[in-house]
Amino acid sequence: MKKLKQFAKANYSVRMANSVLAKFPELTDKWQYDYGVVFKGFEYIYENTGNEEYFEYIKKNIDYFVQDDGSIKKYSPEEYNIDHINNGKAVLFLYRKTGEEKYRKAAQLLRSQLKTHPRTTEGGFWHKNIYPHQMWLDGIYMGSPFYAEYATLIGQDEAEDIFDDVAKQVILCAKNTKDPITGLHFHGWDESRQQKWANKITGCSPNFWGRAMGWFAMAIVDVLDFLPQDHQSRETILSIFKQLIDAILKYQDPETGVWYQVVNFIGRNGNYPEASASCMFAYALAKGIEKGYLDSSYIKALERAYEGIIYRFVEEDENGLLNLNGVCMVAGLGGNPYRDGSYEYYISEPIKTNDLKGIGAFLKASAWVERLFE
């Protein structure tokens, strides 16, 4: 606890945010989900500090995309890509802060995608139209927290149905991806069992990718911000969250305190400690503790994780700015070239410094570690 408090007082969230301002002044290449992870981190740090520079960073970048009529540049709803919903969290934040009509209209546009987004027979959103019949853990983070917040802020007239749908997404994904032996969750699930990566009996992909479970853990703890206290599925979702955290803690590396790229193969040849998953789990732990979903016995694991992140992945450059090392650049299933979900596949993807998915997760984790000691 003492070490964690020292790290919290070191204000790594602000230091990393200032490094992002210097290194990534514009996030406008594409309407892509990793920008939204960074914006969410900035939102939390803005709330912690009141520094308007962080608010303006979100606004400037989102305003490049969101036009006065609420249309969104470089966004195509008909692609039916659940990843494209994630930046909507920043749109909702700006609507909450400014009340500007263009943000409300842009949020409604994103919500409209979900009205016709293809689904599994049980009602789970497909990950993408190009990945039919599939739910991936990542997709719950991309879509569900936005969807739930939308219901509280704009879609009050359909809120009851939306909350039920949000709960359904989490519960279906958990049910269909959970391994009964380890309690961990497989990266993806193919209802049709047609994909080469899919187990012909369960439909699951063959491995436990760290970041996929990180997305899922963050998704659940963020959905709980908006799901009503008296919702009939809230306790079920809290139970899914706690079971996931308990499962991943069994695979926290005893030496470094962080998590490996393929979570259950600590130290296996080619496997490596991976920053983004470690930051996502640290965020889920910190927020879970702060919100009371996890009791104080989890603080020790959070302290080990955050200390490991700082010592293993964070470095200061010659200008005093922070870098985040050790982030898997990307991983998926299927596609062209075909990704088979094997152990060899996951360890073959490039490892990057300052990948925004990792930076965003670090910002979120640091902001909530610091909130524990406000």
Side-chain angles (χ1 to χ4, degrees), residues 167-185:
K168 179 196 287 181
Q169 303 307 314
V170 175
I171 292 166
L172 284 177
C173 196
K175 172 180 77 96
N176 289 319
T177 61
K178 187 175 179 180
D179 174 45
I181 298 166
T182 62
L184 299 172
H185 290 262

Side-chain angles (χ1 to χ4, degrees), residues 67-246:
Q67 307 303 295
D68 289 341
D69 63 357
S71 61
I72 301 172
K73 200 188 292 185
K74 303 184 181 182
Y75 164 60
S76 303
E78 64 278 2
E79 282 183 26
Y80 291 118
N81 181 342
I82 204 83
D83 289 346
H84 290 337
I85 302 298
N86 190 50
N87 290 343
K89 299 166 190 174
V91 174
L92 290 174
F93 167 67
L94 292 171
Y95 179 64
R96 206 164 66 231
K97 294 298 292 181
T98 70
E100 284 188 44
E101 185 70 3
K102 69 175 183 176
Y103 300 127
R104 186 178 70 84
K105 288 179 175 175
Q108 288 174 321
L109 175 62
L110 292 164
R111 190 272 175 270
S112 71
Q113 177 186 320
L114 298 179
K115 288 182 178 175
T116 53
H117 196 98
R119 296 177 183 244
T120 66
T121 54
E122 296 174 296
F125 291 127
W126 290 7
H127 192 61
K128 300 180 186 180
N129 202 35
I130 60 169
Y131 299 135
H133 313 291
Q134 298 165 43
M135 294 185 79
W136 298 8
L137 297 174
D138 328 20
I140 304 301
Y141 180 80
M142 303 305 163
S144 291
F146 163 84
Y147 199 17
E149 185 177 2
Y150 177 89
T152 66
L153 203 59
I154 297 169
Q156 294 94 335
D157 57 335
E158 52 175 345
E160 198 173 317
D161 289 340
I162 289 178
F163 290 135
D164 288 349
D165 203 9
V166 167
K168 179 196 287 181
Q169 303 307 314
V170 175
I171 292 166
L172 284 177
C173 196
K175 172 180 77 96
N176 289 319
T177 61
K178 187 175 179 180
D179 174 45
I181 298 166
T182 62
L184 299 172
H185 290 262
F186 294 104
H187 184 179
W189 172 74
D190 173 17
E191 179 180 43
S192 72
R193 279 50 167 188
Q194 294 299 305
Q195 292 298 314
K196 283 182 277 186
W197 53 256
N199 182 291
K200 296 308 172 200
I201 296 168
T202 66
C204 291
S205 59
N207 279 289
F208 303 114
W209 179 38
R211 187 157 74 227
M213 282 184 284
W215 289 128
F216 194 44
M218 292 203 302
I220 300 172
V221 82
D222 288 353
V223 158
L224 289 166
D225 286 344
F226 309 108
L227 196 68
Q229 293 289 331
D230 60 353
H231 192 273
Q232 69 269 21
S233 296
R234 189 176 174 89
E235 288 305 315
T236 303
I237 290 170
L238 278 165
S239 176
I240 290 167
F241 176 66
K242 191 161 183 304
Q243 287 172 30
L244 171 60
I245 294 298
D246 287 344

Side-chain angles (χ1 to χ4, degrees), residues 278-335:
S278 300
C279 291
M280 290 174 181
F281 293 143
Y283 167 72
L285 282 163
K287 190 172 184 180
I289 293 164
E290 205 276 342
K291 293 279 188 179
Y293 311 146
L294 302 171
D295 64 39
S296 60
S297 68
Y298 289 84
I299 288 175
K300 191 71 187 164
L302 172 60
E303 183 174 64
R304 288 180 54 233
Y306 197 67
E307 180 181 17
I309 288 163
I310 297 301
Y311 287 141
R312 179 110 199 167
F313 302 124
V314 177
E315 68 174 10
E316 186 176 318
D317 69 16
E318 65 277 7
N319 300 313
L321 301 175
L322 298 185
N323 292 318
L324 185 74
N325 298 319
V327 181
C328 169
M329 193 165 82
V330 68
L333 295 164

Side-chain angles (χ1 to χ4, degrees), residues 40-59:
K40 197 69 186 176
F42 267 74
E43 177 187 330
Y44 290 146
I45 299 162
Y46 169 66
E47 290 171 352
N48 286 0
T49 64
N51 186 335
E52 291 296 327
E53 197 173 7
Y54 303 142
F55 171 79
E56 289 301 330
Y57 180 73
I58 301 170
K59 187 173 189 305

